[in-house]
Amino acid sequence: VRIRKAGIKLVICVDTVAASGGYMMASVGDVVCAAPFAMIGSIGVVTQIPNFHRFLDKNSIDAFLFTAGKYKRTVDVIGEVTDEGKEKLQEELDDIHRAFKDHVALARPKLKDAIEDVGTGEYWLAVQAKELGLVDVIMTSDEYLESIRLQYDIIEIAEKKKKSGILSTLHQLDGMKGVMGLFSSWTGQGGQQHQPMPMAVV
């Protein structure tokens, strides 16, 4: 949304999956492109919490949970699950779901009247998602870049990783002293902490 406010046109390309939080991010694009077999949607909220309270109680194991605030914990791993706690947790999930749907409807006005139909937690293939208004164009990211290459300069930003491995490291060391220094850094000896190599972006 901040990108839109800044007046920057944003085209989102989905080659594999934009589901749940992924679609939340994708929906802010001015145009959403997706590969034919990409999975799109899942506008919903889910949580699952295993509970060991009965097991702990059966085996006379004490587990303590301290909170401040009536609803700081509603359903958790070790505490007793109550109907009130389950109802409160479901209420919280429903609130998040409403906020999710509002976000998508705001980002994609064409979905405003259909948000209850697509905000069911389901996901679809891109070709189906396009019919529902979740996607604008059926196209892979490579196809999109190919389609604009004569109009714009295309810049790739990538992380440049330094080669690792013992042989590569040994070639950069100065004799036996360097080897001993390397050994000390690996074993935590030598008085100096081994620092990670810096990362460059090109």
Side-chain angles (χ1 to χ4, degrees), residues 6-201:
I8 300 173
K9 183 179 179 181
L10 181 63
V11 176
I12 300 293
C13 293
V14 182
D15 285 327
T16 53
V17 178
S20 199
Y23 188 74
M24 178 184 288
M25 293 185 289
S27 66
V28 303
D30 296 281
V31 178
V32 178
C33 303
F37 289 97
M39 305 305 297
I40 307 292
S42 191
I43 303 172
V45 185
V46 63
T47 186
Q48 58 181 23
I49 305 170
N51 181 268
F52 299 98
H53 175 75
R54 289 183 297 175
F55 172 82
L56 297 173
D57 189 54
K58 179 180 178 181
N59 290 277
S60 300
I61 300 173
D62 293 325
F64 299 97
L65 176 66
F66 300 93
T67 64
K70 182 178 179 180
Y71 293 118
K72 183 61 179 177
R73 283 291 180 270
T74 51
V75 177
D76 62 77
V77 176
I78 61 175
E80 182 179 3
V81 179
T82 65
D83 289 338
E84 182 183 15
K86 289 188 289 186
E87 290 174 3
K88 181 61 177 175
L89 179 58
Q90 185 61 55
E91 179 184 323
E92 293 169 350
L93 295 180
D94 290 339
D95 288 342
I96 297 171
H97 189 206
R98 277 191 292 272
F100 191 173
K101 291 186 291 185
D102 289 345
H103 168 85
V104 173
L106 178 64
R108 293 182 65 81
K110 66 172 65 178
L111 289 175
K112 183 177 180 180
D113 294 331
I115 193 63
E116 294 302 326
D117 296 326
V118 298
T120 59
E122 298 171 81
Y123 56 86
W124 299 271
L125 287 171
V127 289
Q128 298 170 304
K130 183 176 183 296
E131 295 177 358
L132 294 170
L134 296 165
V135 168
D136 300 304
V137 182
I138 301 300
M139 181 184 291
T140 66
S141 60
D142 287 340
E143 289 173 327
Y144 175 73
L145 292 175
E146 177 66 22
S147 72
I148 65 169
R149 67 182 180 83
L150 298 179
Q151 299 172 269
Y152 303 98
D153 293 329
I154 298 175
I155 300 173
E156 179 181 5
I157 300 177
E159 177 184 346
K160 186 176 182 180
K161 295 184 179 179
K162 192 172 183 66
K163 291 183 178 180
S164 60
I166 189 168
L167 293 179
S168 176
T169 304
L170 289 175
H171 286 157
Q172 302 175 41
L173 299 175
D174 182 18
M176 194 62 186
K177 183 179 179 181
V179 174
M180 293 305 296
L182 175 64
F183 178 76
S184 295
S185 69
W186 284 348
T187 58
Q189 301 172 359
Q192 293 184 348
Q193 184 177 0
H194 180 65
Q195 296 296 324
M197 296 302 296
M199 181 177 66
V201 177

